[in-house]
Amino acid sequence: MTDGLSPGASAASHAPTGEPSRWVQRWAHLVEAGGAVLDVASGTGRHARFFAARGHPVAAIDRDASALASMHGVDGLTTVAADIENGPWPLPAQAQFAAVVVTNYLHRPLFPQLLRALAPGGVLIYETFAQGNETVGRPSNPAFLLAPGELLDAVRALLRVVAFQDGFLAEPRPAYVQRICAVREPDGSVERKDTGVPPRYDLTG
């Protein structure tokens, strides 16, 4: 699990493009068909490419221009080179997305911005390292490890949590991870007004 901006996230922070995270794949069906996707700390773009192949326009942000260059020419994919930890948010303030995807990256001050980037009905798919990972490898710096329930706290009262996990994974390498899928529900949606039926978030597995 290696595609993050954070200097503490991995010893090899931009490994060759691999398979998308199973967590991301599991919840991709909740993203509105054709909706724009924001891949934050994209690295070489395993998730950006995945969503582009599904017909989504994708904006991929990373500070590593060489990693972004590997995505040159991918249809529907725009790259943005920016240091989002030490500089301003590189997208227009009003830009919103049908999904915000973050894996193997943690910079807590960005949480409010990531939530603002979600359009009504938008899906946050987030997965990164958690406390306990210091016992099996890197990252081991507490600054890059989520505390128990921290992702839940970040979205509480703002998003509807569809799924949350906090535990140990043996593959692709031993790691403690925390991950969430949560939706910004459209207030007063047509579905609620006309039918009384709430939005349905189909669970998989």
Side-chain angles (χ1 to χ4, degrees):
M1 304 173 72
T2 55
D3 60 342
L5 283 173
S6 173
S10 172
S13 63
H14 289 309
T17 303
E19 288 295 313
S21 156
R22 293 178 184 175
W23 187 253
V24 173
Q25 294 184 69
R26 179 177 181 181
W27 299 110
H29 70 280
L30 294 183
V31 182
E32 178 186 4
V37 172
L38 177 62
D39 186 5
V40 178
S42 64
T44 52
R46 59 182 177 138
H47 298 119
R49 297 168 195 265
F50 169 73
F51 280 102
R54 292 172 63 92
H56 296 277
V58 180
I61 298 177
D62 201 285
R63 72 180 182 186
D64 188 336
S66 63
L68 294 175
S70 71
M71 290 181 267
H72 179 72
V74 177
D75 288 343
L77 205 160
T78 301
T79 60
V80 180
D83 183 350
I84 55 177
E85 294 184 13
N86 299 299
W89 184 244
L91 301 178
Q94 71 276 14
Q96 291 190 314
F97 297 84
V100 173
V101 178
V102 189
T103 63
N104 302 344
Y105 175 70
L106 178 61
H107 184 57
R108 291 174 174 88
L110 281 176
F111 280 152
Q113 179 60 64
L114 299 179
L115 300 188
R116 284 193 295 269
L118 281 175
V123 183
L124 174 69
I125 305 175
Y126 203 126
E127 176 184 40
T128 195
F129 300 98
Q131 289 179 5
N133 201 70
E134 70 280 2
T135 67
V136 295
R138 296 186 63 188
S140 57
N141 186 332
F144 306 120
L145 302 179
L146 289 164
E150 187 170 354
L151 287 180
L152 288 174
D153 292 337
V155 307
R156 195 178 308 279
L158 299 171
L159 306 183
R160 175 172 175 171
V161 176
V162 176
F164 173 78
Q165 293 184 339
D166 189 353
F168 177 77
L169 290 176
E171 296 179 351
R173 68 175 177 85
Y176 286 79
V177 301
Q178 191 174 133
R179 46 200 191 180
I180 199 167
C181 174
V183 178
R184 179 179 295 285
E185 293 196 287
D187 294 335
S189 66
V190 172
E191 292 84 359
R192 288 183 185 277
K193 287 182 178 179
D194 295 347
T195 69
V197 178
R200 187 180 76 182
Y201 306 115
D202 290 333
L203 305 178
T204 60

